[in-house]
Amino acid sequence: MGIYFSISSLIFLFIFIIIFFSKDNSKNIETKIYSILLILTFIGTSLDILGYAFYKNDVNPYALIYQVLVRGMLVYYISWAELFFIYAYSISEKKFIKIKNIYFVILYILFVLIACTLPLRFGTNNNTIYPLGASVNFTYFIAAVSLTFSVILAFVNIKQILVRKYTPMFLIFPMLLVLIVIQNVLPELFLINFSLTIVIVVMYFTIENPDLKIIEELKKNRSLTSK
């Protein structure tokens, strides 16, 4: 049953990829990060479905191809969480915290290396196989910390910027709390990528609207011309 959530997510993401890249967008940090997150979520959801296909075709979870797939999913979760934090940081007032880009890169590489080297094992429940072990725990910890800091940035800077831009941050935190409870009770449900897809959809309507920006510029030019 859980795989249908992932398939639905993949369809929605495909539609939004077409919509987003079929029109001209403002060339700013917001739209650049969003475009990467959009593609990344599509890839991660595809890997999720591929893993389910491997399982249904009785591929040994300790086979090299399955191990590479699962490690790739862990790298995907870390990448998504780090990019989301960078998005939150990019739209925030920088006077509270200043981080050089090189620090993001160093931390990201370090996190990926650790996630790819820590032990990994598998558990089964209701005819479903899912990854366990230190590698998975580390990945979830890094993702949780990154997303928590994103929400903190939103609260700290809420007066400095439009509230609607922080909607994804306020949305993802309670959603993840509910997700953790459901996932522990029903681990066979593939809800992580479904939740990330919801955040991606919400972000589409909160990032800078290039059409509105153009209209605003035209209004300013008309005003200057009349003066």
Side-chain angles (χ1 to χ4, degrees), residues 43-209:
I43 294 173
T45 306
S46 300
L47 291 177
D48 212 7
I49 296 172
L50 183 61
Y52 178 82
F54 281 171
Y55 169 72
K56 282 299 183 180
N57 286 277
D58 297 322
V59 176
N60 190 324
Y62 292 97
L64 178 60
I65 188 171
Y66 206 105
Q67 290 282 320
V68 171
L69 176 66
V70 175
R71 298 284 184 180
M73 285 296 297
L74 298 181
V75 172
Y76 156 66
Y77 291 137
I78 291 175
S79 303
W80 203 101
E82 291 298 297
L83 270 174
F84 193 77
F85 173 75
I86 294 173
Y87 171 81
Y89 175 76
S90 68
I91 64 174
S92 299
E93 179 65 41
K94 304 301 189 297
K95 67 179 181 180
F96 296 100
I97 177 173
K98 293 183 180 180
I99 306 174
K100 293 182 178 180
N101 292 338
I102 187 63
Y103 295 149
F104 286 121
V105 176
I106 293 173
L107 285 175
Y108 173 73
I109 294 174
L110 179 63
F111 293 156
V112 168
L113 288 175
I114 294 174
C116 289
T117 53
L118 286 175
L120 179 67
R121 57 189 178 86
F122 297 90
T124 56
N125 186 50
N126 295 333
N127 296 321
T128 302
I129 189 167
Y130 50 92
L132 297 167
S135 182
V136 176
N137 294 335
F138 174 79
T139 299
Y140 287 167
F141 173 76
I142 293 300
V145 170
S146 298
L147 296 176
T148 299
F149 274 110
S150 300
V151 176
I152 291 174
L153 277 176
F155 276 110
V156 170
N157 293 278
I158 197 168
K159 292 182 180 180
Q160 276 72 42
I161 202 166
L162 291 173
V163 175
R164 70 182 184 87
K165 285 183 177 288
Y166 285 117
T167 302
M169 271 71 81
F170 295 129
L171 174 68
I172 198 170
F173 202 66
M175 185 185 296
L176 286 178
L177 291 177
V178 174
L179 171 66
I180 290 171
V181 175
I182 296 177
Q183 202 73 45
N184 285 332
V185 177
L186 300 169
E188 67 272 15
L189 295 180
F190 300 90
L191 292 177
I192 294 180
N193 282 309
F194 182 73
S195 300
L196 298 183
T197 299
I198 294 175
V199 174
I200 286 293
V201 171
V202 173
M203 284 180 69
Y204 177 82
F205 297 102
T206 59
I207 61 174
E208 182 180 357
N209 189 323

